[in-house]
Amino acid sequence: MNEADLRDDLARWVQDGWLRPLDAAFARFLQEKVPQAPSRAILAATLASHQLGRGHVCLDLAALADDPVFTLAIPLRDAGGLPTPAGAVQGISRQAWLGELDCPDLVGQGEEEEAAPLVLRGHRLYLRRQWDNERAVRQGILTRVRETVPFAPEPVRAILETLFPVGEGDVWQRLACALALRRRFALITGGPGTGKTSTVVRLIALLQALALQGGLPGRGEAPLRIRLAAPTGKAAARLSESIGQSLERLPWEALPQGERIRDSLPRNVSTLHRLLGARAGSRRFRHDEADPLVLDVLVIDEASMVDLEMMAAVLRALPRGAQLVLLGDKDQLASVEAGAVLGGLCRRADEGHYTPETIAWLRETVGAELPEGFAPENGPSDAPVYVDPEGTALDQAIAMLRQSHRFAAESAIGQLAATVNRGDAAAARRVLRGALAGDPDAQGEGDRALAAPVPPASETVALLVPQSQEDEALRRLVCGTKESPAGHALYLRDLHERRPPPEAPPAAWDDWARAVLAAYGGFQVLCAVREGPWGVEEMNRRIAHWLRRAGLLPDEQGWYEGRPVLMTRNSYALGLMNGDVGVTLALPGPEGKAPRLMVAFAAAAGLRWVLPGRLPEVETVFALTVHKSQGSEFGHAVLVLPDVPSPVLTRELVYTGITRARSRFTLVDPSGGAMLEAAIARRVLRSSGLEAPL
């Protein structure tokens, strides 16, 4: 392949949609700046850019050599039989790639003084910026986990026993608090309902209590400066609400200086962008190594949504002695941008890998019997083993909460989520069939037969196999009937039937809006993809059509009463954040005037009314993507899969959709189960150096 051939191929691949215009522009830039670089080296750089667009931090050359189709998610040949990027690199060995990349002006080894735009580390090829970000994360975490903070176990145990009265929390939550104390970095992961927020509230209370008692080395009795943050405005608002509720439930009167501890703990949660000081039109932040954050402890919720670049920015801005605590569900979808930081760090969390030294600390501080697995010699032979004398420093900083307080072990939603996590598609189908039929061994045509009626409200999980886009069972699931409304018809019924009289005071209209918003939050359609007949765009159009046909929505476009909208960008001026959902309502106009439309949002500080004209960046959300639903919960969640394969269909996506449901979950699979099985078989795999042990 010469330079001219590569240029022609790149143009064709962009035209055919195999590469982004940005990828080809990057290649042309490198050809201009490093004209002596081999064409294959330029091609490798182009593919590294392509992988970055797919969420990978680097190009894995070993994986590329073994299976270019899987690695790039591109077939070998296009419709005309010409080679695609995957076809162009087929048969090139890892060693051959390393030889092609032996060009110091183009590829460096990652040293700070190098000017090369690419970095090669082992079999991983990085764009320079992504290598710098990964190194910042790796070094920032290593620095914090390698040093053990000296604590006396007795005061820790006394405070933990106060913060966890008999019957409050579980032993895994206590373990998490004790583990998080010992290092400047801690990661608390767990599924929905395992108590991540309540655990971290007790953790910061424990830290503050120790600080005020003079129990933190080198601080005297000065209180800790604690900050709370989340990647999105929606997640920040939810954490603010949860933190406030959790703080009210703690037994402050039983703690020395309890009132002072409570008053010193934060309740407000910031977005990461706001915390770091985002600069308009720039990827850089005001706070960095030269101007670090002023804090002692930083807690970040929904950490699975934090991409590599943002995590690097956080670690660069942290003071050297500050503690970082991450919360999140390792099994949820990774960040939209490049990197899967939480998933990479938690790859060994299930097994624990705690050293005898760590276990000794836990026995001294937790004040409760440790679960099976911490003393494998005394447990049954098939019990999990969490002990590992060779456990890494990072292993000792990770706590996994394992007891769900939302889903009982025998609940259908809990079982379904567990089977998906295990990658057991057959078991997942049995749970779905069993919930409908009462027969866990039902097979074959039973799926289709049982899918016809709308599952009764008492069911927790259900499978619906629509026969068409206008499937009657699907329509009734979303709208119900005139006699028995369901789905989105419930909030619209409240909208119409509970509307106050025109002369009602403002408080009555606020109460009405809160009721409508609460009813809307009881049901949500989640789509795996944006486009196509089962994508979010078409589902929104179709649901709106069904609701209009039922007389529940006006036959209007644009802004109309009942339209639910999702903020797609933070608006600090309005106090609304990306991900906030509101419902459009008609309020009485001035005397003799027509009603005026306003959008009601449930904000942390109370109900917020906003004129539609002030909300230019919103989208209608009778249905929303699974990605957009992260950090949310719904009484009844309906997950709609496409009818054809898609790269976004993964185990993590299905798990995230299931765990958005509080009490009821319905899977809509037009393929009759084929797409469910395909999704469960595919995991989110993002190439990154964080996969290597820390």
Side-chain angles (χ1 to χ4, degrees):
M1 175 183 289
N2 58 39
E3 184 177 336
D5 290 339
L6 177 60
R7 191 163 49 246
D8 292 344
D9 284 341
L10 290 174
R12 177 169 58 84
W13 292 338
V14 170
Q15 184 177 356
D16 292 345
W18 302 122
L19 298 179
R20 303 173 298 168
L22 178 64
D23 303 329
F26 180 57
R28 290 193 297 271
F29 170 79
L30 295 179
Q31 285 176 322
E32 179 183 337
K33 296 297 182 182
V34 194
Q36 70 275 24
S39 293
R40 278 186 175 176
I42 300 294
L43 177 58
T46 309
L47 297 180
S49 175
H50 165 78
Q51 292 294 79
L52 183 62
R54 297 180 57 234
H56 298 276
V57 175
C58 59
L59 172 65
D60 189 324
L61 296 172
L64 183 68
D66 289 342
D67 191 345
V69 172
F70 179 81
T71 302
L72 302 176
I74 295 174
L76 291 175
R77 297 193 175 274
D78 62 20
L82 295 173
T84 65
V89 302
Q90 187 184 27
I92 304 176
S93 68
R94 171 183 169 181
Q95 203 59 38
W97 278 119
L98 297 179
E100 296 285 356
L101 293 167
D102 186 12
C103 180
D105 292 333
L106 181 69
V107 183
Q109 294 299 309
E111 304 299 329
E112 292 186 6
E113 64 274 9
E114 292 175 345
L118 302 174
V119 172
L120 180 64
R121 300 290 293 188
H123 55 88
R124 298 184 180 93
L125 181 66
Y126 297 82
L127 275 62
R128 168 70 60 173
R129 178 163 56 83
Q130 296 306 320
W131 164 252
D132 289 342
N133 289 333
E134 185 174 285
R135 179 171 59 181
V137 171
R138 190 179 184 89
Q139 291 180 347
I141 292 175
L142 278 174
T143 299
R144 286 173 164 78
V145 299
R146 282 173 171 168
E147 180 185 355
T148 302
V149 181
F151 281 107
E154 293 80 11
V156 174
R157 180 170 181 147
I159 298 170
L160 280 177
E161 288 179 342
T162 303
L163 291 172
F164 288 94
V166 176
E168 294 272 336
D170 59 58
V171 66
W172 294 104
Q173 295 178 3
R174 299 191 189 196
L175 287 169
C177 289
L179 283 170
L181 278 184
R182 301 204 78 201
R183 288 167 169 80
R184 304 290 186 194
F185 173 83
L187 198 161
I188 300 174
T189 186
T194 52
K196 294 186 290 293
T197 302
S198 61
T199 300
V200 84
V201 168
R202 288 175 167 86
L203 171 61
I204 60 176
L206 170 63
L207 284 165
Q208 196 69 284
L210 290 169
L212 296 178
Q213 292 177 10
L216 299 183
R219 290 194 55 85
E221 297 182 0
L224 292 169
R225 297 163 297 183
I226 303 172
R227 296 290 303 272
L228 309 173
T232 67
K234 183 179 181 179
R238 278 198 65 205
L239 182 60
S240 291
E241 183 179 0
S242 299
I243 289 285
Q245 294 171 352
S246 295
L247 286 173
E248 292 305 313
R249 292 195 295 264
L250 291 185
W252 301 110
E253 68 285 351
L255 278 174
Q257 305 187 69
E259 292 295 321
R260 186 183 176 195
I261 296 170
R262 183 185 63 184
D263 293 343
S264 67
L265 297 180
R267 287 163 173 79
N268 295 324
V269 184
S270 171
T271 64
L272 287 173
H273 281 86
R274 189 165 226 183
L275 175 75
L276 295 174
R279 294 175 171 173
S282 171
R283 303 176 75 100
R284 301 189 67 83
F285 298 94
R286 181 169 68 84
H287 292 291
D288 55 17
E289 301 97 329
D291 184 13
L293 294 162
V294 181
L295 53 79
D296 300 303
V297 180
L298 174 61
V299 177
I300 300 177
D301 193 24
E302 296 290 351
S304 64
M305 301 168 65
V306 182
D307 61 85
L308 179 70
E309 185 171 12
M310 178 58 77
M311 191 63 73
V314 168
L315 285 159
R316 290 182 180 117
L318 275 184
R320 182 173 179 81
Q323 182 172 12
L324 176 62
V325 181
L326 303 182
L327 302 180
D329 185 345
K330 67 180 179 64
D331 297 313
Q332 280 194 31
L333 283 167
S335 59
V336 175
E337 302 298 329
V341 178
L342 189 76
L345 295 174
C346 289
R347 68 196 175 280
R348 287 157 56 97
D350 286 288
E351 298 83 22
H353 296 281
Y354 299 123
T355 63
E357 180 190 7
T358 296
I359 293 174
W361 163 258
L362 295 175
R363 294 193 189 282
E364 290 181 298
T365 56
V366 167
E369 186 175 347
L370 300 187
E372 288 183 351
F374 286 88
E377 66 277 4
N378 299 327
S381 59
D382 59 345
V385 176
Y386 303 119
V387 183
D388 181 3
E390 303 300 319
T392 67
L394 177 62
D395 293 330
Q396 317 313 304
I398 296 177
M400 183 172 171
L401 306 181
R402 302 167 191 264
Q403 182 178 333
S404 177
H405 301 275
R406 184 191 306 173
F407 305 128
E410 66 276 8
S411 76
I413 292 178
Q415 287 185 42
L416 185 60
T419 60
V420 169
N421 249 347
R422 294 199 306 268
D424 192 341
R429 292 201 49 161
R430 285 196 297 272
V431 174
L432 287 165
R433 287 194 292 262
L436 283 172
D439 179 7
D441 297 319
Q443 294 183 1
E445 292 301 314
D447 288 343
R448 192 167 295 276
L450 292 167
V454 177
S458 60
E459 300 288 3
T460 54
V461 300
L463 171 66
L464 174 62
V465 183
Q467 305 303 294
S468 71
Q469 291 174 250
E470 297 294 330
D471 186 84
E472 181 62 16
L474 178 59
R475 188 198 65 75
R476 287 192 287 127
L477 177 70
V478 175
C479 304
T481 63
K482 196 170 207 178
E483 297 74 25
S484 180
H488 282 315
L490 294 174
Y491 90 87
L492 292 170
R493 182 189 63 181
D494 282 3
L495 185 156
H496 295 297
E497 295 182 357
R498 300 181 65 170
R499 186 192 304 274
E503 66 275 10
W509 292 94
D510 287 351
D511 290 343
W512 171 62
R514 291 189 186 94
V516 172
L517 287 165
Y520 172 82
F523 177 83
Q524 186 56 261
V525 176
L526 309 175
C527 294
V529 297
R530 291 203 64 86
E531 299 176 348
W534 302 98
V536 71
E537 295 175 359
E538 176 61 21
M539 286 299 301
N540 268 309
R541 187 202 64 77
R542 201 182 314 155
I543 293 170
H545 170 70
W546 288 338
L547 293 170
R548 290 190 179 102
R549 195 171 69 186
L552 296 169
L553 287 179
D555 192 14
E556 300 175 18
Q557 302 298 317
W559 289 99
Y560 51 85
E561 187 172 43
R563 180 190 178 192
V565 294
L566 175 88
M567 293 285 294
T568 57
R569 195 178 74 174
N570 293 340
S571 175
Y572 294 110
L574 297 174
L576 298 174
M577 302 296 153
N578 182 12
D580 284 344
V581 173
V583 176
T584 310
L585 300 172
L587 299 181
E591 190 173 347
K593 300 287 186 179
R596 57 193 176 111
L597 292 178
M598 299 285 287
V599 186
F601 291 88
L607 191 71
R608 191 176 299 277
W609 294 95
V610 184
L611 285 167
R614 300 189 68 191
L615 299 170
E617 297 192 48
V618 296
E619 58 185 42
T620 303
V621 282
F622 295 111
L624 74 161
T625 63
V626 176
H627 271 98
K628 289 284 189 181
S629 75
Q630 289 191 97
S632 299
E633 296 175 5
F634 311 99
H636 182 186
V638 177
L639 174 60
V640 180
L641 301 183
D643 56 349
V644 294
S646 169
V648 306
L649 279 182
T650 63
R651 186 182 307 176
E652 290 81 0
L653 181 138
V654 175
Y655 170 84
T656 302
I658 295 168
T659 55
R660 299 312 89 201
R662 285 194 299 271
S663 57
R664 191 177 172 201
F665 172 78
T666 303
L667 177 71
V668 177
D669 188 350
S671 71
M675 292 302 102
L676 172 65
E677 294 186 9
I680 293 176
R682 182 198 297 257
R683 300 216 64 171
V684 173
L685 297 174
R686 292 193 170 179
S687 298
S688 161
L690 291 180
E691 299 169 1
L694 290 181

